[in-house]
Amino acid sequence: MAARAGVTKQTVSNVVSGKKVRPETLEKVNKAIAELGYKPNLVARSLRTGSTSTVGLFVPSVANPFYSEMVEEVENLLVGHGYNLLLATTRDDPDYTRAHLENLAARSVDALLAAGDNGVDQQLPMLAAANFPVALFAWEGDPPTTLPVVSIDYQHAGFLAGCHLRDLGHRNVAVVADLPAHTPRVVGLRRAFAADGLDDRKVFACTSDDAAGGFAAACAALDADPELTAIFATHDILAIGAIEAVVRSGRRVPDDVSVVGFDDIAQVGRIRPALTTVTFPKREMAQQAVELLLRAVDSGQPPTNVVSLLRPTLTVRDSSGPARRDRLAPGTA
């Protein structure tokens, strides 16, 4: 390798380990690497540099498309910086999370990103004491003071959905929710309807966090109030189930019942009707979290304990429309 590039072995080592060399030297070594098909021995390099070039990522589940999309965003960013991704699912289970954390510590990852707070929140002291930088993202509960957080304003996201439905004339609205995890989203929706009040009896908790759970909760909502004009689902998969429930009841979306979701996963723009939903700035959230961690890795200092809340937006598609005039609440015509 060194002979092919016309440099010393130490210079090749410097390039492989990411140390600064002259641009012309870097070009020669990279050319030799490409020609010889060289693949660095990561274990040997980690022993020399103390770095594994690996970042751990905790997500609750990859079955949820929101988290699988976030995994791709994080991985693309890490690969662009020369890092590998080590993925683990927490399954919203504190014991499972702890076991994964102990395993990551044994593997000597350079840093850790943890998405979602269920299961992770009970391990915050252990995360804060880790011997590598840790950052939290897509965190919905109260942010801890011991670790940096990159997330969105979930209450404002629910507020956006509520304002959209209110502006369309809807007052008879039900909520299909994954509770208690998504309480801030429901609080935000309530704020949008503060002048009218949102009856607790209109909030239907799902028994499962999937389309079947959304379908069952939406069926209960429709049975409880045949005059219902809109449903807000606290994530898109629940909304897909809610649309099915409306259609199976003989009603039309959005002519009879509007449906609004949350997350803007890729598939909801392709279903019929295409789903109106709250959109996460997924790429920006992943970028902020990854860059915060890698700065800490490069500097050898803990990451700054910032709380960065990004602003969601509303993507209006075909599943929401004006409330039917024959179902408007008094005083809203």
Side-chain angles (χ1 to χ4, degrees), residues 278-297:
V278 177
T279 300
F280 267 61
K282 297 185 186 78
R283 182 165 299 172
E284 185 181 356
M285 182 161 60
Q287 185 169 353
Q288 280 199 21
V290 167
E291 290 180 352
L292 183 151
L293 273 188
L294 296 188
R295 281 197 301 270
V297 171

Side-chain angles (χ1 to χ4, degrees), residues 9 36 50 73 87 105 110 115 147 164 181 214 245 254 275 281 292:
K9 290 182 179 180
L36 296 174
E73 292 288 357
L87 177 65
D110 290 344
L147 292 166
H164 174 64
L275 183 67
L292 183 151

Side-chain angles (χ1 to χ4, degrees), residues 176-188:
V176 170
D178 177 15
L179 296 175
H182 294 167
T183 297
R185 310 178 194 202
V186 180
V187 170

Side-chain angles (χ1 to χ4, degrees), residues 93-104:
D93 184 323
D95 294 333
Y96 212 74
T97 303
R98 184 180 183 87
H100 276 316
L101 184 55
E102 291 171 345
N103 185 42
L104 285 186

